[in-house]
Amino acid sequence: MTEYFEVHERDAAARVGELRLSESVTTPALADDVVRDAGSRWANPQELPEGDDSELTILPHRAFPSGTADEVQESFAPDYPDVGFPSAAVVSPETAGDFDADAYVLSGAPGTVGHGSAFRDAVVNTREAIPDDTALYLSGVATPRNVAVIAYAGVDLVDADRAVIRGTQGRYLTTEGEYDVEELDELPCACAACQQGVESFGQDECVEHNVNVLSAELARVRRRIRDGRLRDYVEGQARHEAWVTAAFREFDQQYGYLEERTPTVRDSLLLSATEDALRRVEIQRFAERVTTRFRARYDDDRPLLLVPCSAKKPYSESQSHRQFQDAANYRAHVVSMTSPIGVVPQELELTYPAQHYDSVVTGNWSAEEVEFVAAVLERYLERTDYPRVIAHVPDEGYREVVERATQGSDVPVEFTVEDHPTTSESLANLRDALAGEDQIWVSEREENTLKAVADHHIGGGAGDALFEDVELRGRYPKLQAIDPDGEQLAALVPQYGSLSFTLAGARRWVDSDAPTKRVEIDGFVPRGSVLAPGVVDASDDIRVGDEVVVEGPAAFAVGRAAMPGPAMNESTRGIAVEVRHSEEK
């Protein structure tokens, strides 16, 4: 049970936490000033120190260098006593487990740094073996150039050892690279050590500068995590060192590890500035849910209208999309095509990240963008049954995507754009292509929107299970679902494109056939939040930001998850659920 570390904010695997010493430390952070190493047990038996809450004590240990044979590690399996002060246990990826420590020091870390896949495996294997609410400490590896990716991987504590050593060697570190001090004609930094100028800049000043820059980079990382935008920063920062780029991309291949830890909703900008954005969890998850959970609920004779995305979000508020709808007059099911997201049915235009992203527009699609969006559209069409497709898209990239996605399909495709989608001729072609089709009523569009959002966030079939026989009130996007007795069940949350349930809606959810994200608690009535120690069990598929039902012997409640379900099950500190409504049984 951890008593001295708590996670406060999450951004995928990265966290802002608090090491609860007599003077608390906000992580990710340098641990140099607050760590005491009780020593190695390889040479001599070490006595257990008394310890106190002013520092994190690394308990007597046997550390294994990277590459140590498994049988050797098995022969010297870690064994740590239960202590009453802030403590850290030294583990390897093979020996990691729950030793009732507040932090875990990864032995052999310097042997993995420089190798993308080795670093990935070491961090992922260790992080998944230790409790979520404990800190992971990598010693001797951090530099200003790599520490953002180290934190992105899920590391909470580092030290300045490598930065100090490089400083004693006359190497001047920056977030982009390192230089020989003697070759610098000016100092590209304004920290205290650098203010005296290059003429009097010696070894001591170089060490001080390196530590200053590393500390400043960690502060920048903490700010990015709080903003929910560390990934945007890491995509650029990783380019400055080859192995860091490799490590960053290796973590993109660990979808399960990152997806479990990535929020399902947030209101921060998702910047798509590189092709690496295509591999972001948020992008891949949205595409997966659109192609496995979404249902086109209109009549089988309703055509599909493919349109390009717009810079303004949500799309329906943009000038171009208003022109498309004026011409189409709501006689087709509208789906937008976009890189990096893929395809966005109009019902999900509010749903994160569909209205939260911004991309670099050059007019030219890369081969990777074409391949990704075409694959998503193809999978989407395989699950739907449109009689025909109207592709009101420009030639640049969009047309190639449609042609590739439909090349193996018998569904006829009609292209309606001449020169540009908003020219009078193009809009006339669109109008003519849909002449004779019946108009879709506003009530039908709004009902399908609520059901589609439920399917997306809860699971396939949830929309029909939850929102049959309901009345809709309000105007899009502020929609409310009302049951036959006049009680509100849920509301669409415009800024996230998610659902907010009332207690009545939560009861219907529990009684329905929809997949239920459930948190079981002890015998108390939550007011404001449920803390992790009060959780008895939680669904493994719960993600940060998910709507959840909370039940216990004394209470029934509904709210939003503040940590993933697996973390709720193993954590002893932190807020598990932010409760919106609760009642005593």
Side-chain angles (χ1 to χ4, degrees), residues 258-312:
L258 291 178
E259 192 279 330
E260 178 184 308
R261 295 162 171 81
T262 301
T264 55
V265 297
R266 48 184 161 191
D267 55 8
S268 57
L269 174 70
L270 187 156
L271 179 62
S272 173
T274 73
E275 290 186 1
D276 284 318
L278 296 173
R279 293 181 285 276
R280 288 186 65 148
V281 165
E282 299 94 324
I283 301 300
Q284 294 290 330
R285 179 164 57 196
F286 188 91
E288 186 271 334
R289 292 186 178 186
V290 164
T291 55
T292 61
R293 297 185 180 186
F294 179 81
R295 281 184 51 211
R297 288 180 162 84
Y298 299 105
D299 297 335
D300 291 342
D301 59 354
R302 183 69 60 186
L304 168 65
L305 173 57
L306 293 174
V307 297
C309 64
S310 65
K312 184 176 178 59

Side-chain angles (χ1 to χ4, degrees), residues 172-174 186-196 209-210 212-213:
Y172 183 95
L173 305 186
T174 72
E186 63 177 327
L187 300 176
C189 176
C191 75
C194 295
Q195 288 180 358
Q196 58 190 302
H209 157 81
N210 287 353
N212 287 343
V213 176

Side-chain angles (χ1 to χ4, degrees), residues 225-413:
I225 295 172
R226 292 185 179 103
D227 293 340
R229 298 195 60 192
L230 180 60
R231 170 62 186 239
D232 296 347
Y233 180 67
V234 165
E235 284 189 16
Q237 184 60 25
R239 296 297 190 275
H240 297 302
E241 191 169 2
W243 88 263
V244 178
T245 306
F248 163 66
R249 290 178 174 171
E250 290 286 352
F251 272 90
D252 272 351
Q253 304 305 314
Q254 296 294 308
Y255 179 79
Y257 174 77
L258 291 178
E259 192 279 330
E260 178 184 308
R261 295 162 171 81
T262 301
T264 55
V265 297
R266 48 184 161 191
D267 55 8
S268 57
L269 174 70
L270 187 156
L271 179 62
S272 173
T274 73
E275 290 186 1
D276 284 318
L278 296 173
R279 293 181 285 276
R280 288 186 65 148
V281 165
E282 299 94 324
I283 301 300
Q284 294 290 330
R285 179 164 57 196
F286 188 91
E288 186 271 334
R289 292 186 178 186
V290 164
T291 55
T292 61
R293 297 185 180 186
F294 179 81
R295 281 184 51 211
R297 288 180 162 84
Y298 299 105
D299 297 335
D300 291 342
D301 59 354
R302 183 69 60 186
L304 168 65
L305 173 57
L306 293 174
V307 297
C309 64
S310 65
K312 184 176 178 59
K313 316 291 189 306
Y315 301 137
S316 61
E317 295 184 3
S318 69
Q319 182 177 1
S320 61
H321 277 240
R322 286 175 177 172
Q323 290 177 293
F324 302 156
Q325 288 291 20
D326 286 345
N329 198 21
Y330 298 100
R331 291 174 292 176
H333 180 215
V334 178
V335 172
S336 299
M337 297 169 53
T338 177
S339 176
I341 295 181
V343 298
V344 182
Q346 190 168 38
E347 296 92 322
L348 298 177
E349 68 167 359
L350 299 175
T351 301
Y352 181 82
Q355 71 161 326
H356 305 84
Y357 77 97
D358 194 9
S359 58
V360 177
V361 179
T362 63
N364 297 312
W365 286 51
S366 69
E368 191 170 1
E369 288 177 305
V370 169
E371 180 181 1
F372 174 72
V373 179
V376 175
L377 179 58
E378 183 178 8
R379 295 200 306 271
Y380 175 83
L381 291 173
E382 287 172 352
R383 293 192 68 252
T384 51
D385 193 23
Y386 297 105
R388 61 192 180 110
V389 175
I390 310 300
H392 191 74
V393 295
D395 287 342
E396 301 89 353
Y398 288 97
R399 183 167 185 137
E400 181 181 356
V401 168
V402 175
E403 290 173 344
R404 290 180 60 168
T406 59
Q407 60 185 355
S409 172
D410 295 331
V411 178
V413 180

Side-chain angles (χ1 to χ4, degrees), residues 43-60:
N44 300 296
Q46 302 289 341
E47 293 187 5
L48 185 67
E50 293 184 3
D52 61 61
D53 63 4
S54 67
E55 57 189 1
L56 179 71
T57 300
I58 301 176
L59 301 174

Side-chain angles (χ1 to χ4, degrees), residues 548-570:
V548 296
V549 173
V550 180
E551 282 193 278
F556 182 79
V558 64
R560 285 201 181 276
M563 62 175 64
M568 294 185 195
N569 287 325
E570 63 184 32

Side-chain angles (χ1 to χ4, degrees), residues 469-493:
D469 303 320
V470 299
E471 174 190 351
L472 294 187
R473 293 180 186 172
R475 295 184 60 184
Y476 179 84
K478 297 180 180 180
L479 300 177
Q480 300 171 352
I482 310 298
D483 72 9
D485 295 326
E487 192 165 11
Q488 180 175 319
L489 301 174
L492 181 64
V493 183

